[in-house]
Amino acid sequence: MRREMTPMGKKISKRLIDLDMTQRELASRIGTTPQYLQKILRGERSGTKYLAAIEDVLKISLAP
C-alpha cells in the first residue's frame, strides 16, 4: 500500500522539480538516505532533525 505524501511532502517535491534536483540528491545533501527522506515526505517519520537542512538546501519555509 502506497501512502500519500503530506502537504509538506508535496511542497518539497514541487520545489525539487523547480530546482531540477532529485530526492536522492536532496537526501545526500542533508545527510540521510533516500528511503528515510521518502518516509519524511509521506509523514511516516517527522524528520525534525532534517527540516532546517531541507529548508536551507531548497530555500523554502516549511512552517505551516
Side-chain angles (χ1 to χ4, degrees):
M1 176 176 95
R2 291 191 57 93
R3 293 209 30 189
E4 287 290 312
M5 272 197 256
T6 64
M8 179 184 72
K10 290 177 183 176
K11 184 174 186 176
I12 291 169
S13 289
K14 181 183 182 317
R15 186 66 176 148
L16 287 171
I17 292 167
D18 292 345
L19 296 174
D20 195 29
M21 184 184 296
T22 65
Q23 287 183 13
R24 181 176 299 276
E25 187 178 347
L26 176 60
S28 174
R29 290 180 64 179
I30 65 171
T32 191
T33 63
Q35 294 83 358
Y36 193 81
L37 179 59
Q38 267 294 316
K39 291 180 181 197
I40 295 170
L41 300 181
R42 291 192 308 254
E44 294 171 18
R45 295 283 183 263
S46 69
T48 305
K49 75 183 246 185
Y50 298 107
L51 296 182
I54 291 170
E55 289 179 324
D56 187 52
V57 169
L58 298 183
K59 306 289 187 247
I60 58 172
S61 171
L62 297 175

